Amino acid sequence: MRELEIKNVKTAQYRDFNLNLIYNYIDKGEKSFEFQRSESVSPYISGEGKLSVNFYTLQPGKSNYPYHQHTGNEEVFYIISGTATLKTPKGDINVSEGDVIVMPPNENGAHMLTNNSNEPLFYLDVHTVSSPEVVIYPNTGKVRILTGDMQKSFKIESEVNYLDGE
């Protein structure tokens, strides 16, 4: 059974993530998806619960993830310090310290956070964890399916007939 957890953004242990390296996509894209993340509470780690709580640091010029929308998970960002640009379906929005951003699990919740300032951005990310989860990438026509240990990405136009091969 999971215990009560108390974490502090100032003392949290962070890990570096560079999605461009993880997915072997160096020099192929114009954006750099790099961040530091501290997994404070996560069902991926404990095997229990429905919430994931992470502190993020986003350095100047970096984005957190490609522009995407969730279909099952809700997500909330709380900006602890710094400023960034939040890409949304209605255009770019400047966000700063004290802002709370709620992304619903539909096309209205599509988002990408980019630090266009000269200072680091610190924020808290709280999201539900459901499996399976389907993530849609509106700009590139991709879909990502996540379930258990499996994560696969596809181009939406690569659809096959439901009965193909049956």
Side-chain angles (χ1 to χ4, degrees):
M1 181 184 321
R2 194 171 78 201
E3 296 289 326
L4 174 78
E5 294 187 50
I6 299 173
K7 302 288 181 174
N8 186 298
V9 67
K10 295 176 184 175
T11 58
Q13 297 295 311
Y14 288 82
R15 283 186 45 209
D16 290 332
F17 288 86
N18 182 332
L19 300 183
N20 299 72
L21 288 176
I22 292 169
Y23 293 102
N24 196 23
Y25 211 73
I26 302 300
D27 298 328
K28 296 179 184 174
E30 58 187 53
K31 294 243 182 257
S32 180
F33 301 102
E34 270 180 79
F35 50 86
Q36 292 79 43
R37 180 177 73 196
S38 172
E39 291 185 355
S40 298
V41 177
S42 174
Y44 301 116
I45 297 169
S46 70
E48 294 182 291
K50 301 259 188 232
L51 284 179
S52 182
V53 180
N54 306 290
F55 295 116
Y56 279 79
T57 302
L58 196 56
Q59 298 297 332
K62 310 296 182 188
S63 298
N64 58 354
Y65 295 95
Y67 184 62
H68 66 284
Q69 73 179 63
H70 298 275
T71 61
N73 292 330
E74 297 181 74
E75 192 166 19
V76 176
F77 294 161
Y78 170 68
I79 307 301
I80 297 167
S81 67
T83 62
T85 302
L86 180 70
K87 180 176 180 153
T88 76
K90 294 184 178 180
D92 291 349
I93 300 169
N94 293 322
V95 296
S96 61
E97 183 176 325
D99 286 342
V100 174
I101 304 119
V102 178
M103 280 91 37
N106 60 43
E107 62 277 359
N108 294 321
H111 60 281
M112 180 176 74
L113 200 57
T114 302
N115 183 349
N116 291 319
S117 77
N118 294 321
E119 301 294 326
L121 172 77
F122 298 98
Y123 68 98
L124 176 67
D125 177 343
V126 178
H127 63 272
T128 56
V129 176
S130 60
S131 183
E133 165 69 319
V134 177
V135 181
I136 297 170
Y137 298 82
N139 287 353
T140 56
K142 290 184 309 217
V143 62
R144 188 160 179 83
I145 300 168
L146 302 95
T147 182
D149 290 335
M150 184 189 83
Q151 295 187 23
K152 298 285 183 180
S153 297
F154 304 93
K155 286 289 194 174
I156 292 172
E157 72 263 7
S158 68
E159 178 181 8
V160 297
N161 183 294
Y162 173 68
L163 295 177
D164 187 19
E166 295 301 324

mmCIF file of all heavy atoms in Angstrom, residues 105-135:
data_model
loop_
_atom_site.group_PDB
_atom_site.id
_atom_site.type_symbol
_atom_site.label_atom_id
_atom_site.label_comp_id
_atom_site.label_asym_id
_atom_site.label_seq_id
_atom_site.Cartn_x
_atom_site.Cartn_y
_atom_site.Cartn_z
ATOM 1 N N PRO A 105 -9.278 16.392 -21.789
ATOM 2 C CA PRO A 105 -8.871 15.302 -22.684
ATOM 3 C C PRO A 105 -9.649 15.312 -24.003
ATOM 4 O O PRO A 105 -10.402 14.390 -24.317
ATOM 5 C CB PRO A 105 -9.169 14.054 -21.853
ATOM 6 C CG PRO A 105 -10.328 14.456 -21.002
ATOM 7 C CD PRO A 105 -10.121 15.915 -20.706
ATOM 8 N N ASN A 106 -9.459 16.371 -24.769
ATOM 9 C CA ASN A 106 -10.102 16.493 -26.081
ATOM 10 C C ASN A 106 -9.333 17.523 -26.918
ATOM 11 O O ASN A 106 -8.315 18.042 -26.465
ATOM 12 C CB ASN A 106 -11.586 16.873 -25.936
ATOM 13 C CG ASN A 106 -11.793 18.189 -25.217
ATOM 14 O OD1 ASN A 106 -11.098 19.184 -25.450
ATOM 15 N ND2 ASN A 106 -12.771 18.220 -24.318
ATOM 16 N N GLU A 107 -9.835 17.834 -28.105
ATOM 17 C CA GLU A 107 -9.114 18.741 -29.010
ATOM 18 C C GLU A 107 -8.928 20.139 -28.422
ATOM 19 O O GLU A 107 -7.983 20.840 -28.777
ATOM 20 C CB GLU A 107 -9.800 18.823 -30.383
ATOM 21 C CG GLU A 107 -11.211 19.367 -30.372
ATOM 22 C CD GLU A 107 -12.289 18.343 -30.032
ATOM 23 O OE1 GLU A 107 -11.984 17.155 -29.817
ATOM 24 O OE2 GLU A 107 -13.462 18.753 -29.970
ATOM 25 N N ASN A 108 -9.773 20.556 -27.503
ATOM 26 C CA ASN A 108 -9.609 21.870 -26.869
ATOM 27 C C ASN A 108 -8.416 21.906 -25.913
ATOM 28 O O ASN A 108 -7.946 22.973 -25.541
ATOM 29 C CB ASN A 108 -10.874 22.272 -26.104
ATOM 30 C CG ASN A 108 -12.042 22.483 -27.032
ATOM 31 O OD1 ASN A 108 -11.886 23.017 -28.123
ATOM 32 N ND2 ASN A 108 -13.210 22.047 -26.626
ATOM 33 N N GLY A 109 -7.933 20.736 -25.507
ATOM 34 C CA GLY A 109 -6.829 20.660 -24.571
ATOM 35 C C GLY A 109 -5.466 20.456 -25.226
ATOM 36 O O GLY A 109 -4.483 20.211 -24.530
ATOM 37 N N ALA A 110 -5.386 20.551 -26.552
ATOM 38 C CA ALA A 110 -4.093 20.392 -27.224
ATOM 39 C C ALA A 110 -3.125 21.454 -26.696
ATOM 40 O O ALA A 110 -3.511 22.596 -26.465
ATOM 41 C CB ALA A 110 -4.259 20.514 -28.737
ATOM 42 N N HIS A 111 -1.850 21.062 -26.513
ATOM 43 C CA HIS A 111 -0.914 21.991 -25.874
ATOM 44 C C HIS A 111 0.544 21.641 -26.158
ATOM 45 O O HIS A 111 0.872 20.498 -26.471
ATOM 46 C CB HIS A 111 -1.135 22.003 -24.360
ATOM 47 C CG HIS A 111 -0.933 20.670 -23.721
ATOM 48 N ND1 HIS A 111 -1.884 19.671 -23.755
ATOM 49 C CD2 HIS A 111 0.103 20.153 -23.022
ATOM 50 C CE1 HIS A 111 -1.455 18.620 -23.107
ATOM 51 N NE2 HIS A 111 -0.219 18.874 -22.652
ATOM 52 N N MET A 112 1.387 22.637 -26.044
ATOM 53 C CA MET A 112 2.844 22.500 -26.035
ATOM 54 C C MET A 112 3.386 23.722 -25.312
ATOM 55 O O MET A 112 3.008 24.850 -25.609
ATOM 56 C CB MET A 112 3.427 22.455 -27.443
ATOM 57 C CG MET A 112 4.951 22.322 -27.451
ATOM 58 S SD MET A 112 5.669 22.162 -29.098
ATOM 59 C CE MET A 112 5.508 23.840 -29.693
ATOM 60 N N LEU A 113 4.276 23.498 -24.361
ATOM 61 C CA LEU A 113 4.862 24.567 -23.556
ATOM 62 C C LEU A 113 6.289 24.805 -24.033
ATOM 63 O O LEU A 113 7.084 23.869 -24.119
ATOM 64 C CB LEU A 113 4.853 24.147 -22.086
ATOM 65 C CG LEU A 113 4.971 25.211 -21.020
ATOM 66 C CD1 LEU A 113 3.885 26.265 -21.139
ATOM 67 C CD2 LEU A 113 4.937 24.571 -19.645
ATOM 68 N N THR A 114 6.619 26.074 -24.350
ATOM 69 C CA THR A 114 7.956 26.445 -24.811
ATOM 70 C C THR A 114 8.459 27.616 -23.998
ATOM 71 O O THR A 114 7.745 28.614 -23.825
ATOM 72 C CB THR A 114 7.941 26.826 -26.309
ATOM 73 O OG1 THR A 114 7.444 25.718 -27.067
ATOM 74 C CG2 THR A 114 9.330 27.192 -26.806
ATOM 75 N N ASN A 115 9.682 27.496 -23.513
ATOM 76 C CA ASN A 115 10.294 28.578 -22.754
ATOM 77 C C ASN A 115 11.019 29.495 -23.734
ATOM 78 O O ASN A 115 12.103 29.168 -24.205
ATOM 79 C CB ASN A 115 11.265 28.029 -21.707
ATOM 80 C CG ASN A 115 11.861 29.126 -20.851
ATOM 81 O OD1 ASN A 115 11.731 30.308 -21.143
ATOM 82 N ND2 ASN A 115 12.541 28.731 -19.795
ATOM 83 N N ASN A 116 10.417 30.639 -24.046
ATOM 84 C CA ASN A 116 11.014 31.619 -24.952
ATOM 85 C C ASN A 116 11.710 32.739 -24.200
ATOM 86 O O ASN A 116 12.095 33.734 -24.794
ATOM 87 C CB ASN A 116 9.948 32.210 -25.884
ATOM 88 C CG ASN A 116 9.452 31.180 -26.876
ATOM 89 O OD1 ASN A 116 10.235 30.401 -27.411
ATOM 90 N ND2 ASN A 116 8.158 31.151 -27.110
ATOM 91 N N SER A 117 11.880 32.579 -22.884
ATOM 92 C CA SER A 117 12.523 33.615 -22.075
ATOM 93 C C SER A 117 14.011 33.307 -21.915
ATOM 94 O O SER A 117 14.523 32.339 -22.485
ATOM 95 C CB SER A 117 11.853 33.698 -20.698
ATOM 96 O OG SER A 117 12.290 32.630 -19.879
ATOM 97 N N ASN A 118 14.686 34.113 -21.122
ATOM 98 C CA ASN A 118 16.104 33.907 -20.837
ATOM 99 C C ASN A 118 16.340 33.238 -19.491
ATOM 100 O O ASN A 118 17.487 33.070 -19.079
ATOM 101 C CB ASN A 118 16.851 35.250 -20.871
ATOM 102 C CG ASN A 118 16.865 35.845 -22.255
ATOM 103 O OD1 ASN A 118 17.008 35.127 -23.243
ATOM 104 N ND2 ASN A 118 16.687 37.148 -22.336
ATOM 105 N N GLU A 119 15.269 32.884 -18.792
ATOM 106 C CA GLU A 119 15.352 32.273 -17.455
ATOM 107 C C GLU A 119 14.667 30.911 -17.461
ATOM 108 O O GLU A 119 13.742 30.678 -18.228
ATOM 109 C CB GLU A 119 14.663 33.175 -16.423
ATOM 110 C CG GLU A 119 15.245 34.572 -16.306
ATOM 111 C CD GLU A 119 16.666 34.585 -15.761
ATOM 112 O OE1 GLU A 119 16.971 33.725 -14.908
ATOM 113 O OE2 GLU A 119 17.452 35.431 -16.196
ATOM 114 N N PRO A 120 15.076 29.996 -16.591
ATOM 115 C CA PRO A 120 14.395 28.697 -16.500
ATOM 116 C C PRO A 120 12.933 28.859 -16.084
ATOM 117 O O PRO A 120 12.580 29.791 -15.367
ATOM 118 C CB PRO A 120 15.176 27.952 -15.415
ATOM 119 C CG PRO A 120 16.489 28.630 -15.325
ATOM 120 C CD PRO A 120 16.222 30.072 -15.682
ATOM 121 N N LEU A 121 12.117 27.943 -16.541
ATOM 122 C CA LEU A 121 10.710 27.856 -16.152
ATOM 123 C C LEU A 121 10.575 26.664 -15.222
ATOM 124 O O LEU A 121 11.073 25.575 -15.526
ATOM 125 C CB LEU A 121 9.828 27.646 -17.384
ATOM 126 C CG LEU A 121 8.358 27.344 -17.102
ATOM 127 C CD1 LEU A 121 7.637 28.622 -16.709
ATOM 128 C CD2 LEU A 121 7.689 26.708 -18.303
ATOM 129 N N PHE A 122 9.931 26.858 -14.070
ATOM 130 C CA PHE A 122 9.640 25.774 -13.134
ATOM 131 C C PHE A 122 8.128 25.612 -13.073
ATOM 132 O O PHE A 122 7.405 26.595 -12.866
ATOM 133 C CB PHE A 122 10.187 26.077 -11.735
ATOM 134 C CG PHE A 122 11.683 26.217 -11.702
ATOM 135 C CD1 PHE A 122 12.275 27.461 -11.725
ATOM 136 C CD2 PHE A 122 12.497 25.088 -11.655
ATOM 137 C CE1 PHE A 122 13.650 27.596 -11.703
ATOM 138 C CE2 PHE A 122 13.875 25.213 -11.625
ATOM 139 C CZ PHE A 122 14.458 26.473 -11.654
ATOM 140 N N TYR A 123 7.644 24.382 -13.264
ATOM 141 C CA TYR A 123 6.195 24.171 -13.171
ATOM 142 C C TYR A 123 5.887 22.793 -12.624
ATOM 143 O O TYR A 123 6.719 21.888 -12.627
ATOM 144 C CB TYR A 123 5.500 24.412 -14.509
ATOM 145 C CG TYR A 123 5.779 23.423 -15.614
ATOM 146 C CD1 TYR A 123 4.897 22.382 -15.883
ATOM 147 C CD2 TYR A 123 6.911 23.524 -16.415
ATOM 148 C CE1 TYR A 123 5.127 21.479 -16.897
ATOM 149 C CE2 TYR A 123 7.151 22.633 -17.432
ATOM 150 C CZ TYR A 123 6.255 21.612 -17.677
ATOM 151 O OH TYR A 123 6.489 20.717 -18.695
ATOM 152 N N LEU A 124 4.683 22.682 -12.112
ATOM 153 C CA LEU A 124 4.154 21.439 -11.585
ATOM 154 C C LEU A 124 3.186 20.878 -12.614
ATOM 155 O O LEU A 124 2.344 21.615 -13.140
ATOM 156 C CB LEU A 124 3.432 21.708 -10.260
ATOM 157 C CG LEU A 124 2.727 20.538 -9.593
ATOM 158 C CD1 LEU A 124 3.741 19.503 -9.121
ATOM 159 C CD2 LEU A 124 1.892 21.037 -8.423
ATOM 160 N N ASP A 125 3.309 19.607 -12.913
ATOM 161 C CA ASP A 125 2.414 18.929 -13.854
ATOM 162 C C ASP A 125 1.692 17.832 -13.080
ATOM 163 O O ASP A 125 2.331 16.941 -12.521
ATOM 164 C CB ASP A 125 3.234 18.332 -14.996
ATOM 165 C CG ASP A 125 2.417 17.530 -15.998
ATOM 166 O OD1 ASP A 125 1.273 17.134 -15.699
ATOM 167 O OD2 ASP A 125 2.941 17.266 -17.095
ATOM 168 N N VAL A 126 0.374 17.922 -13.035
ATOM 169 C CA VAL A 126 -0.455 16.897 -12.401
ATOM 170 C C VAL A 126 -1.379 16.354 -13.475
ATOM 171 O O VAL A 126 -2.061 17.133 -14.155
ATOM 172 C CB VAL A 126 -1.285 17.476 -11.228
ATOM 173 C CG1 VAL A 126 -2.173 16.405 -10.617
ATOM 174 C CG2 VAL A 126 -0.379 18.117 -10.188
ATOM 175 N N HIS A 127 -1.369 15.042 -13.667
ATOM 176 C CA HIS A 127 -2.286 14.481 -14.659
ATOM 177 C C HIS A 127 -2.781 13.105 -14.230
ATOM 178 O O HIS A 127 -2.123 12.404 -13.466
ATOM 179 C CB HIS A 127 -1.658 14.420 -16.060
ATOM 180 C CG HIS A 127 -0.466 13.539 -16.171
ATOM 181 N ND1 HIS A 127 0.806 13.962 -15.928
ATOM 182 C CD2 HIS A 127 -0.352 12.229 -16.513
ATOM 183 C CE1 HIS A 127 1.661 12.974 -16.123
ATOM 184 N NE2 HIS A 127 0.980 11.912 -16.463
ATOM 185 N N THR A 128 -3.958 12.791 -14.737
ATOM 186 C CA THR A 128 -4.514 11.468 -14.495
ATOM 187 C C THR A 128 -3.758 10.475 -15.367
ATOM 188 O O THR A 128 -3.174 10.835 -16.386
ATOM 189 C CB THR A 128 -6.018 11.420 -14.809
ATOM 190 O OG1 THR A 128 -6.219 11.841 -16.164
ATOM 191 C CG2 THR A 128 -6.819 12.307 -13.873
ATOM 192 N N VAL A 129 -3.772 9.230 -14.941
ATOM 193 C CA VAL A 129 -3.116 8.172 -15.699
ATOM 194 C C VAL A 129 -4.156 7.102 -15.985
ATOM 195 O O VAL A 129 -4.643 6.441 -15.074
ATOM 196 C CB VAL A 129 -1.927 7.579 -14.911
ATOM 197 C CG1 VAL A 129 -1.320 6.409 -15.676
ATOM 198 C CG2 VAL A 129 -0.884 8.641 -14.639
ATOM 199 N N SER A 130 -4.519 6.989 -17.249
ATOM 200 C CA SER A 130 -5.437 5.932 -17.655
ATOM 201 C C SER A 130 -4.748 5.104 -18.729
ATOM 202 O O SER A 130 -3.905 5.602 -19.470
ATOM 203 C CB SER A 130 -6.755 6.519 -18.175
ATOM 204 O OG SER A 130 -6.527 7.357 -19.285
ATOM 205 N N SER A 131 -5.110 3.849 -18.778
ATOM 206 C CA SER A 131 -4.528 2.963 -19.769
ATOM 207 C C SER A 131 -5.635 2.086 -20.328
ATOM 208 O O SER A 131 -6.410 1.526 -19.563
ATOM 209 C CB SER A 131 -3.443 2.100 -19.132
ATOM 210 O OG SER A 131 -2.812 1.292 -20.086
ATOM 211 N N PRO A 132 -5.743 2.022 -21.627
ATOM 212 C CA PRO A 132 -4.861 2.637 -22.608
ATOM 213 C C PRO A 132 -5.124 4.135 -22.740
ATOM 214 O O PRO A 132 -6.185 4.622 -22.372
ATOM 215 C CB PRO A 132 -5.202 1.907 -23.904
ATOM 216 C CG PRO A 132 -6.632 1.506 -23.734
ATOM 217 C CD PRO A 132 -6.808 1.226 -22.264
ATOM 218 N N GLU A 133 -4.134 4.831 -23.283
ATOM 219 C CA GLU A 133 -4.236 6.259 -23.576
ATOM 220 C C GLU A 133 -3.882 6.455 -25.047
ATOM 221 O O GLU A 133 -2.964 5.802 -25.555
ATOM 222 C CB GLU A 133 -3.292 7.066 -22.683
ATOM 223 C CG GLU A 133 -3.025 8.494 -23.107
ATOM 224 C CD GLU A 133 -4.206 9.459 -22.983
ATOM 225 O OE1 GLU A 133 -5.343 9.080 -23.313
ATOM 226 O OE2 GLU A 133 -3.984 10.594 -22.576
ATOM 227 N N VAL A 134 -4.623 7.335 -25.684
ATOM 228 C CA VAL A 134 -4.359 7.685 -27.081
ATOM 229 C C VAL A 134 -4.062 9.172 -27.117
ATOM 230 O O VAL A 134 -4.835 9.977 -26.607
ATOM 231 C CB VAL A 134 -5.566 7.348 -27.984
ATOM 232 C CG1 VAL A 134 -5.307 7.793 -29.418
ATOM 233 C CG2 VAL A 134 -5.879 5.856 -27.923
ATOM 234 N N VAL A 135 -2.908 9.523 -27.697
ATOM 235 C CA VAL A 135 -2.480 10.908 -27.808
ATOM 236 C C VAL A 135 -2.449 11.258 -29.289
ATOM 237 O O VAL A 135 -1.884 10.509 -30.097
ATOM 238 C CB VAL A 135 -1.094 11.122 -27.168
ATOM 239 C CG1 VAL A 135 -0.666 12.574 -27.273
ATOM 240 C CG2 VAL A 135 -1.105 10.662 -25.719
#
